Amino acid sequence: AWWWCHPWRAKPTRRAWWWCHPWRATLTRRACVTSSTSLRLGACRLRARGAIAAIALRAEGHAKTCRLLLDAGAPVDCRDRWGQTPLIEAVAAKHLDCVELLLERGADASAMDRGGRRVALAAVDAESDDCLAAVVAGGGADAGDDVAGATRLCAAAAAGDLTLVERLVRAGVAVDAADYDRRTALHLAAAEGRVAVVMKLCEHGADIRFRDRWGHDAIDAASGGGHADLVAQLHLLEKH
């Protein structure tokens, strides 16, 4: 009698009602679908973790482990929160074996991170000629409209950094790429009297008669800077 009147008696009664209710089958199916979705999401998270691990390992130069991750299905062009691909990380860390492995597996040699830096420019920043050569051979020298590369080329030419100028040109930066004033690297090098840089740019086909927004060419820039010898050399190059 005590149990019959006790309020706790309703709990097992409700459980028995739920067990026999037709809605139970529908909700059970929904639970199964939810479980299946969770499994799929878990697999996606596992692949994402594998991609993150691949990026980190390539940055540290573990080529063998990277090969295992690629064989296990890790995407070769996965990206981290900054838009860095494994190839960009490997190039920046100067790990040539990882770079060659990724290019062999079809990594995008012209990929760009969120900051607008391409793989080839990462090799330039790392000062790695071997990685730069591998990226260029893999098709990473097609810069297109590369504003960042053009800005760096103009700055390197003005500073007289011949090594950086050569690397940027090899990386695919257009030799006649201009800044906001339509001044090219040749303009700036001539204005500063950087003879070696001027000669190197002309070897790569820089246009001596390319005019900036004020209508001045490289000869005018050299003349305005008081570099008479350079003006004479540019006149000779123009004739040839």
Side-chain angles (χ1 to χ4, degrees):
W2 171 83
W3 165 250
W4 188 262
C5 300
H6 202 280
W8 288 353
R9 177 180 174 273
K11 288 186 177 180
T13 305
R14 285 197 298 270
R15 290 174 183 171
W17 171 83
W18 161 249
W19 189 259
C20 300
H21 202 281
W23 289 352
R24 175 179 171 273
T26 302
L27 294 178
T28 303
R29 285 195 298 271
R30 290 179 182 175
C32 293
V33 171
T34 303
S35 299
S36 178
T37 304
S38 299
L39 289 173
R40 288 196 297 269
L41 289 175
C44 292
R45 292 191 187 100
L46 183 60
R47 286 194 294 270
R49 289 173 184 172
I52 294 171
I55 292 174
L57 287 168
R58 284 168 190 125
E60 295 177 4
H62 298 289
K64 292 183 179 179
T65 310
C66 292
R67 187 183 297 275
L68 291 174
L69 286 170
L70 290 172
D71 293 339
V76 70
D77 284 325
C78 55
R79 293 180 180 269
D80 59 13
R81 70 181 73 180
W82 299 281
Q84 303 274 5
T85 65
L87 183 58
I88 294 177
E89 291 285 355
V91 166
K94 303 182 183 181
H95 295 307
L96 182 60
D97 51 350
C98 290
V99 171
E100 293 174 344
L101 171 63
L102 292 167
L103 291 172
E104 179 186 345
R105 295 299 184 92
D108 185 6
S110 61
M112 183 183 297
D113 62 14
R114 291 184 180 177
R117 187 179 67 161
R118 296 182 298 110
V119 180
L121 289 183
V124 172
D125 291 337
E127 300 180 355
S128 176
D129 292 328
D130 292 336
C131 290
L132 179 58
V135 171
V136 171
D142 185 12
D145 187 12
D146 193 351
V147 178
T151 302
R152 293 192 58 184
L153 180 61
C154 290
D161 192 342
L162 182 60
T163 302
L164 181 56
V165 168
E166 290 179 341
R167 283 175 177 155
L168 287 169
V169 173
R170 287 177 57 200
V173 179
V175 71
D176 284 327
D179 61 9
Y180 51 88
D181 286 328
R182 287 185 52 79
R183 303 188 79 193
T184 65
L186 186 59
H187 279 102
L188 296 171
E192 297 294 333
R194 311 295 187 184
V195 178
V197 175
V198 169
M199 296 298 108
K200 180 59 65 176
L201 291 171
C202 290
E203 287 179 13
H204 287 286
D207 186 3
I208 297 176
R209 285 301 181 182
F210 190 98
R211 298 189 179 276
D212 59 17
R213 63 183 297 187
W214 298 283
H216 299 155
D217 58 19
I219 296 176
D220 296 328
S223 178
H227 309 293
D229 294 339
L230 183 56
V231 171
Q233 291 182 4
L234 287 172
H235 277 300
L236 289 174
L237 288 172
E238 186 182 18
K239 291 179 182 179
H240 291 82

